[in-house]
Amino acid sequence: MVTEHRAVAALRVFLVVLFGVLVMFQTFSLPGQFAHMAQESPQDAYLRWPATIVTVFWVLCVQVVIVSTWRLLNLVKNDRIFTEASLKWVDAIVWAIAAGWVVLVGVFLYVGFNADDPGLPLLLFLLTVGVTVLGLLMVVMRALLRQATTLRTDMEAVI
């Protein structure tokens, strides 16, 4: 289908752009931002490296999702999405989301217990709920992919 091929091509372009921007964030923007914050607020300078490590880790989790999505697009292009090979890439997405979620919950709890203003804890709670929904959605999508793969394998065995 022409629309599917165009959508896959457009998605690939945006995945490359997103990956490139994330690499720049990891190497330049995030470390520089937290260094600047440490200079501006010396009382919070002890958070510079933990904040840098956590945010770079979250970006790494997103990069794993991008690479896995790219690999799944290759499987779609080659009409191999309903094979066991696709499940390992979906698993990588689920594990990357889970790892990011665990760290996000830790940050939420740390900030929540130490905050004197409800704004940041509420924002982190919203992000935690959003990442939870995304992770659970991926688990459901993985189950659907597993069922479709099994059905396709069964149908090929009958034919």
Side-chain angles (χ1 to χ4, degrees):
M1 177 183 275
V2 173
T3 308
E4 178 182 307
H5 293 299
R6 286 184 181 172
V8 168
L11 182 55
R12 285 178 186 264
V13 168
F14 284 105
L15 287 174
V16 167
V17 170
L18 180 58
F19 194 89
V21 168
L22 289 174
V23 167
M24 289 184 56
F25 263 86
Q26 271 180 316
T27 55
F28 302 116
S29 183
L30 292 172
Q33 176 63 36
F34 291 118
H36 176 72
M37 288 173 60
Q39 287 176 342
E40 294 294 314
S41 302
Q43 71 276 11
D44 295 328
Y46 70 96
L47 292 173
R48 174 186 179 186
W49 290 111
T52 302
I53 291 166
V54 166
T55 55
V56 167
F57 176 74
W58 283 333
V59 171
L60 178 64
C61 290
V62 174
Q63 288 170 326
V64 168
V65 171
I66 291 170
V67 170
S68 299
T69 302
W70 185 277
R71 297 298 302 185
L72 288 168
L73 288 174
N74 284 340
L75 294 172
V76 168
K77 180 182 167 193
N78 297 327
D79 195 30
R80 294 191 52 233
I81 192 64
F82 297 114
T83 62
E84 292 292 322
S86 63
L87 293 173
K88 73 177 182 178
W89 295 109
V90 175
D91 284 341
I93 292 172
V94 170
W95 282 108
I97 292 171
W101 180 86
V102 167
V103 173
L104 180 59
V105 168
V107 169
F108 168 64
L109 292 174
Y110 176 80
V111 169
F113 285 119
N114 295 308
D116 51 1
D117 175 24
L120 186 56
L122 283 173
L123 178 63
L124 289 171
F125 177 73
L126 177 65
L127 287 172
T128 302
V129 170
V131 173
T132 302
V133 168
L134 181 63
L136 293 173
L137 178 63
M138 286 307 303
V139 169
V140 170
M141 297 301 285
R142 186 192 185 288
L144 292 172
L145 180 61
R146 163 77 66 199
Q147 288 176 355
T149 301
T150 301
L151 285 173
R152 186 167 185 176
T153 304
D154 291 348
M155 287 179 57
E156 288 173 353
V158 170
I159 297 175

PDB file of all heavy atoms in Angstrom, residues 10 25 28 56 59 110 124 138 142 148-149 151:
ATOM      1  N   ALA A  10       8.466   8.288   6.112  1.00  0.00           N
ATOM      2  CA  ALA A  10       8.425   9.502   6.937  1.00  0.00           C
ATOM      3  C   ALA A  10       8.848   9.190   8.365  1.00  0.00           C
ATOM      4  O   ALA A  10       9.601   9.961   8.982  1.00  0.00           O
ATOM      5  CB  ALA A  10       7.023  10.104   6.911  1.00  0.00           C
ATOM      6  N   PHE A  25      21.651  16.149  22.820  1.00  0.00           N
ATOM      7  CA  PHE A  25      21.225  16.388  24.199  1.00  0.00           C
ATOM      8  C   PHE A  25      22.110  15.631  25.178  1.00  0.00           C
ATOM      9  O   PHE A  25      22.520  16.174  26.206  1.00  0.00           O
ATOM     10  CB  PHE A  25      19.764  15.950  24.398  1.00  0.00           C
ATOM     11  CG  PHE A  25      18.787  17.070  24.280  1.00  0.00           C
ATOM     12  CD1 PHE A  25      18.297  17.450  23.045  1.00  0.00           C
ATOM     13  CD2 PHE A  25      18.358  17.751  25.396  1.00  0.00           C
ATOM     14  CE1 PHE A  25      17.396  18.481  22.926  1.00  0.00           C
ATOM     15  CE2 PHE A  25      17.457  18.787  25.300  1.00  0.00           C
ATOM     16  CZ  PHE A  25      16.964  19.161  24.056  1.00  0.00           C
ATOM     17  N   PHE A  28      25.960  17.265  24.870  1.00  0.00           N
ATOM     18  CA  PHE A  28      26.210  18.694  25.060  1.00  0.00           C
ATOM     19  C   PHE A  28      25.202  19.358  25.994  1.00  0.00           C
ATOM     20  O   PHE A  28      25.575  19.948  27.000  1.00  0.00           O
ATOM     21  CB  PHE A  28      26.193  19.431  23.714  1.00  0.00           C
ATOM     22  CG  PHE A  28      27.196  18.914  22.739  1.00  0.00           C
ATOM     23  CD1 PHE A  28      26.794  18.329  21.553  1.00  0.00           C
ATOM     24  CD2 PHE A  28      28.559  18.996  22.995  1.00  0.00           C
ATOM     25  CE1 PHE A  28      27.713  17.848  20.644  1.00  0.00           C
ATOM     26  CE2 PHE A  28      29.493  18.520  22.094  1.00  0.00           C
ATOM     27  CZ  PHE A  28      29.064  17.940  20.916  1.00  0.00           C
ATOM     28  N   VAL A  56      20.565  11.466  31.180  1.00  0.00           N
ATOM     29  CA  VAL A  56      21.248  10.783  30.067  1.00  0.00           C
ATOM     30  C   VAL A  56      20.745   9.336  29.959  1.00  0.00           C
ATOM     31  O   VAL A  56      20.555   8.822  28.858  1.00  0.00           O
ATOM     32  CB  VAL A  56      22.785  10.858  30.238  1.00  0.00           C
ATOM     33  CG1 VAL A  56      23.495   9.904  29.294  1.00  0.00           C
ATOM     34  CG2 VAL A  56      23.262  12.285  29.999  1.00  0.00           C
ATOM     35  N   VAL A  59      17.416   9.383  28.218  1.00  0.00           N
ATOM     36  CA  VAL A  59      17.617   9.574  26.782  1.00  0.00           C
ATOM     37  C   VAL A  59      18.084   8.266  26.146  1.00  0.00           C
ATOM     38  O   VAL A  59      17.635   7.891  25.055  1.00  0.00           O
ATOM     39  CB  VAL A  59      18.611  10.725  26.502  1.00  0.00           C
ATOM     40  CG1 VAL A  59      18.993  10.780  25.039  1.00  0.00           C
ATOM     41  CG2 VAL A  59      18.021  12.051  26.952  1.00  0.00           C
ATOM     42  N   TYR A 110      12.004  10.598  45.483  1.00  0.00           N
ATOM     43  CA  TYR A 110      13.012  11.480  46.073  1.00  0.00           C
ATOM     44  C   TYR A 110      12.516  12.928  46.089  1.00  0.00           C
ATOM     45  O   TYR A 110      12.569  13.613  47.109  1.00  0.00           O
ATOM     46  CB  TYR A 110      14.336  11.377  45.306  1.00  0.00           C
ATOM     47  CG  TYR A 110      15.373  12.342  45.821  1.00  0.00           C
ATOM     48  CD1 TYR A 110      16.095  12.051  46.966  1.00  0.00           C
ATOM     49  CD2 TYR A 110      15.609  13.549  45.175  1.00  0.00           C
ATOM     50  CE1 TYR A 110      17.045  12.941  47.463  1.00  0.00           C
ATOM     51  CE2 TYR A 110      16.546  14.444  45.656  1.00  0.00           C
ATOM     52  CZ  TYR A 110      17.265  14.134  46.803  1.00  0.00           C
ATOM     53  OH  TYR A 110      18.176  15.032  47.284  1.00  0.00           O
ATOM     54  N   LEU A 124       6.095  15.168  37.912  1.00  0.00           N
ATOM     55  CA  LEU A 124       6.714  13.841  37.898  1.00  0.00           C
ATOM     56  C   LEU A 124       5.663  12.741  38.042  1.00  0.00           C
ATOM     57  O   LEU A 124       5.796  11.671  37.441  1.00  0.00           O
ATOM     58  CB  LEU A 124       7.767  13.737  39.002  1.00  0.00           C
ATOM     59  CG  LEU A 124       9.041  14.547  38.748  1.00  0.00           C
ATOM     60  CD1 LEU A 124       9.916  14.558  39.989  1.00  0.00           C
ATOM     61  CD2 LEU A 124       9.793  14.019  37.544  1.00  0.00           C
ATOM     62  N   MET A 138       2.425  -1.217  25.638  1.00  0.00           N
ATOM     63  CA  MET A 138       3.393  -2.036  24.900  1.00  0.00           C
ATOM     64  C   MET A 138       3.285  -3.512  25.286  1.00  0.00           C
ATOM     65  O   MET A 138       3.464  -4.391  24.443  1.00  0.00           O
ATOM     66  CB  MET A 138       4.816  -1.521  25.131  1.00  0.00           C
ATOM     67  CG  MET A 138       5.119  -0.234  24.396  1.00  0.00           C
ATOM     68  SD  MET A 138       4.763  -0.288  22.615  1.00  0.00           S
ATOM     69  CE  MET A 138       5.768  -1.654  22.091  1.00  0.00           C
ATOM     70  N   ARG A 142       2.442  -6.314  22.655  1.00  0.00           N
ATOM     71  CA  ARG A 142       3.300  -7.493  22.523  1.00  0.00           C
ATOM     72  C   ARG A 142       2.456  -8.756  22.543  1.00  0.00           C
ATOM     73  O   ARG A 142       2.686  -9.683  21.774  1.00  0.00           O
ATOM     74  CB  ARG A 142       4.343  -7.538  23.631  1.00  0.00           C
ATOM     75  CG  ARG A 142       5.335  -8.674  23.429  1.00  0.00           C
ATOM     76  CD  ARG A 142       6.188  -8.918  24.658  1.00  0.00           C
ATOM     77  NE  ARG A 142       7.198  -9.914  24.411  1.00  0.00           N
ATOM     78  CZ  ARG A 142       6.971 -11.220  24.273  1.00  0.00           C
ATOM     79  NH1 ARG A 142       5.757 -11.694  24.332  1.00  0.00           N
ATOM     80  NH2 ARG A 142       7.973 -12.056  24.057  1.00  0.00           N
ATOM     81  N   ALA A 148      -0.938 -12.862  16.931  1.00  0.00           N
ATOM     82  CA  ALA A 148      -0.940 -12.781  15.473  1.00  0.00           C
ATOM     83  C   ALA A 148       0.158 -13.645  14.876  1.00  0.00           C
ATOM     84  O   ALA A 148      -0.040 -14.301  13.844  1.00  0.00           O
ATOM     85  CB  ALA A 148      -0.780 -11.330  15.029  1.00  0.00           C
ATOM     86  N   THR A 149       1.305 -13.673  15.520  1.00  0.00           N
ATOM     87  CA  THR A 149       2.409 -14.505  15.042  1.00  0.00           C
ATOM     88  C   THR A 149       2.041 -15.978  15.128  1.00  0.00           C
ATOM     89  O   THR A 149       2.295 -16.744  14.183  1.00  0.00           O
ATOM     90  CB  THR A 149       3.682 -14.213  15.879  1.00  0.00           C
ATOM     91  OG1 THR A 149       3.998 -12.831  15.743  1.00  0.00           O
ATOM     92  CG2 THR A 149       4.850 -15.054  15.411  1.00  0.00           C
ATOM     93  N   LEU A 151      -1.032 -17.248  15.112  1.00  0.00           N
ATOM     94  CA  LEU A 151      -2.058 -17.517  14.099  1.00  0.00           C
ATOM     95  C   LEU A 151      -1.453 -17.636  12.709  1.00  0.00           C
ATOM     96  O   LEU A 151      -1.815 -18.534  11.952  1.00  0.00           O
ATOM     97  CB  LEU A 151      -3.113 -16.410  14.120  1.00  0.00           C
ATOM     98  CG  LEU A 151      -4.104 -16.430  15.263  1.00  0.00           C
ATOM     99  CD1 LEU A 151      -4.966 -15.187  15.246  1.00  0.00           C
ATOM    100  CD2 LEU A 151      -4.954 -17.677  15.213  1.00  0.00           C
TER     101      LEU A 151
END
